[in-house]
Amino acid sequence: MAKKTGKAFDIKLFRRLIGYTDPYKITFYFVGVAAILLSVFAVLRPNFLQKAIDMAIIPKDRELLVYYITIILGVLLLEVLFQLLFIYFANWLGQVVVRDIRVRLFDHMLRFKKQYYDTSSVGRLVTRAVSDIETIASIFSEGLFVIISDLLKMLVIIGFMLSKSWKLTLLVFVVLPLVLYATRVFQKKMKAAFEEVRTQVSNLNSFVQERISGMKIVQLFVREKTEYRRFKEINDKHKKAWIKTVWYNSIFFPIAEMASSITIGLIVWFGGLKAAYGEELTLGVVVAFIELSQMLFRPLRQIADKFNTLQMGMVAAERVFGVLDTNAVIEDSGTGVLKTVKGDIEFSNVRFSYVANEEVLKGISFDVKAGETVAIVGATGAGKSTIINLLNRFYEIDSGVISIDQVDIKTLELKKIRKYIGVVLQDVFLFADTVMNNITLDNPDITKEQVYKAAKEIGIHAFIESLPGGYDYNVKERGAMLSSGQRQLISFLRAYVANPSILILDEATSSVDSYSEQLIQEATDKITKGRTSIVIAHRLATIKNADTIIVMDQGEIVEQGNHSELLRLEKGYYRNLYEVQFATSEL
């Protein structure tokens, strides 16, 4: 994880960010050259203005005045042209850099362990991937290059002022330290303020995302007033964080403006007297110094303002790099590939903990032969779904071995393992897309004809065709336009068309209506035939015909056998479950 340095400006973090411009060096250097030229153009206008006053206006030389006006106009046009190019390419560079960072961030997030998402706020991750990265773009478009351009302008202006009058330059320097000190203090305060702003933005995003996702629960339990009150509190903290930045701005900019006005007054007083008595200075030099002093203090004010932008971008970059530096990916160093998968599965003394020293699986061992259907039953929290997660390598086991066809899954490519396994979960997730795309997940190897055929085979083609638009029906976010049973059927077809060697049904019929359950049960009987299948279910009627039933309790296997064998066990765990569920119906 990236560490907060507490510095007003983190040069190491800045270098890392600039490294993303390497593929666009030509544009980067062009923007730098444009910044240099803009600093030169900045002093050319006051220089020619001074000459126009001293050599044309005072002597009343009209032709020379027209000449200088033409030059000033030409310089102004060049300045406008390069300002346009500077702004465009600085913004372009910012956008391509954040595009690259966002792609890298999303790719990194795709590889995170499931455990990372178990403990991370979705709202915060969305903030990192969207608004924080967009803030980074402002480093290039409004921060970095503008600051460089302004600093160059200031250096050129100071050099030019010294060449014209070192006395007037000293007058300007009398006030300059005050502005520099105020700017430095301002930078440090704004750094802390913007860190607080980004924290409150993340909190606000996270809160809103969770409440919108869980709005049904909020309304069912009449929590509207409570959540409204909590939102007001979080929103108020967000406001206070921003008000702090406004407060610092309201202090700094009047100080900078006052310093600028004092400088002009000193130039007019000292320079005006010298010019009036014809001593050393001319009226043109005094007028040029007034404009130059404004040009000197304006960048100072802008640098402070743009430093705000730079600071916000750096804070955002620190947070984004914090996610990029998070080492929460499943190690995928396996190179083994199974050309054909029979479907033998073996768990050998597997131990696993979500939290250190709190084992969820306590050294379990079992075999599943190719083509068998194995059911796993047990109370909530017994470790049933954990077995499925470990088989798919969503988590790393603490010890033991999990193998497919006698090959340790750690030695296999991660994507290959998951390609072999089809999963239907209890909590079905559908994307805001068509039924067809939710089934194929844009897999080019799965054709529409294959989907139609598979849907007919398992008996749900008619159901899908009955939807408005059929397979082109948009199910909206999380499949909101479908019932839970309909979502489960689509999820079932999604697993089936992938033609997995191993099929896993995790509570696949626990939350569906009787009609959907019947369809799924019929489809299950069809597709599990000759295919290794693991079924996790609370409803024991769905697993009577399983080859083997594994009974779990508190992370351990307490019973194992087929339905008839387990029923013969006196005071057996499975028998007790069965009697509770079916005793009434059998009377």
Side-chain angles (χ1 to χ4, degrees), residues 28 71 154 346 466 523 553-554:
F28 183 86
I71 292 177
M154 291 171 62
E346 181 181 359
S466 70
D553 184 37
Q554 298 181 7

Side-chain angles (χ1 to χ4, degrees), residues 160-365:
F160 183 76
M161 290 171 71
L162 285 170
S163 69
K164 290 295 181 180
S165 173
W166 64 269
K167 292 182 180 179
L168 283 180
T169 304
L170 284 178
L171 282 178
V172 175
F173 282 5
V174 168
V175 182
L176 194 60
L178 171 64
V179 179
L180 291 174
Y181 176 74
T183 301
R184 180 61 177 168
V185 173
F186 179 68
Q187 291 169 357
K188 289 183 177 180
K189 295 294 184 181
M190 292 303 288
K191 164 74 171 175
F194 281 131
E195 285 181 349
E196 178 64 18
V197 166
R198 298 314 303 171
T199 297
Q200 295 306 326
V201 167
S202 292
N203 291 341
L204 190 62
N205 285 348
S206 180
F207 183 89
V208 172
Q209 187 272 333
E210 287 180 350
R211 268 57 188 182
I212 290 176
S213 298
M215 189 58 70
K216 184 177 181 180
I217 299 299
V218 171
Q219 294 177 350
L220 279 173
F221 288 88
V222 197
R223 299 287 295 173
E224 291 92 340
K225 288 185 178 180
T226 301
E227 298 303 331
Y228 173 72
R229 184 173 62 253
R230 292 182 63 187
F231 176 80
K232 285 184 67 177
E233 292 172 357
I234 294 174
N235 194 40
D236 188 57
K237 291 179 180 179
H238 177 262
K239 179 208 71 175
K240 288 178 180 178
W242 272 109
I243 289 296
K244 189 178 291 185
T245 68
V246 174
W247 170 245
Y248 292 142
N249 277 295
S250 65
I251 293 175
F252 173 77
F253 287 104
I255 291 175
E257 192 64 37
M258 180 182 66
S260 176
S261 300
I262 291 173
T263 303
I264 293 174
L266 290 174
I267 291 173
V268 171
W269 167 69
F270 182 81
L273 287 176
K274 292 290 185 181
Y277 290 104
E279 298 177 5
E280 303 176 26
L281 300 176
T282 63
L283 180 60
V285 171
V286 174
V287 172
F289 258 79
I290 292 174
E291 184 172 356
L292 287 166
S293 67
Q294 291 298 292
M295 293 173 66
L296 181 64
F297 282 96
R298 191 181 305 122
L300 271 178
R301 294 195 297 271
Q302 288 180 350
I303 283 175
D305 189 31
K306 298 307 177 184
F307 201 89
N308 295 349
T309 302
L310 183 61
Q311 292 285 43
M312 288 190 71
M314 293 294 285
V315 170
E318 188 174 39
R319 293 174 182 272
V320 170
F321 288 147
V323 179
L324 279 171
D325 292 340
T326 300
N327 185 23
V329 298
I330 293 287
E331 184 180 349
D332 190 15
S333 57
T335 57
V337 177
L338 294 174
K339 294 182 179 179
T340 57
V341 178
K342 293 188 297 181
D344 289 328
I345 299 171
E346 181 181 359
F347 275 60
S348 178
N349 196 30
V350 174
R351 294 182 177 274
F352 173 74
S353 319
Y354 290 105
V355 180
N357 301 319
E358 295 182 18
E359 283 192 333
V360 176
L361 297 183
K362 304 172 183 178
I364 66 169
S365 299

Side-chain angles (χ1 to χ4, degrees), residues 78 81 84 93 138-139 142 151 174 178 193 224-225 234 249 269 306 371-372 382 399 402 428 486 552 586:
L78 284 173
L81 174 62
L84 184 152
L93 189 63
S138 63
I139 291 178
E142 301 175 35
L151 286 173
V174 168
L178 171 64
E224 291 92 340
K225 288 185 178 180
I234 294 174
N249 277 295
W269 167 69
K306 298 307 177 184
E372 285 187 345
S399 62
I402 302 174
V428 178
Q486 291 172 328
M552 296 191 65
E586 290 181 350

Side-chain angles (χ1 to χ4, degrees), residues 94 98 133-144 309-310 312-313:
V98 299
I133 287 187
E134 200 58 43
T135 303
I136 293 174
S138 63
I139 291 178
F140 299 93
S141 60
E142 301 175 35
L144 172 64
T309 302
L310 183 61
M312 288 190 71

Side-chain angles (χ1 to χ4, degrees), residues 34-53:
I36 294 172
L37 290 175
L38 286 173
S39 66
V40 174
F41 292 144
V43 297
L44 286 180
R45 284 188 293 108
N47 179 53
F48 286 116
L49 177 61
Q50 178 244 315
K51 290 182 181 298
I53 293 173

Side-chain angles (χ1 to χ4, degrees), residues 435-448:
V435 171
M436 179 63 73
N437 288 340
N438 269 291
I439 293 169
T440 65
L441 297 178
D442 294 321
N443 186 342
D445 296 329
I446 301 176
T447 66
K448 289 184 178 181

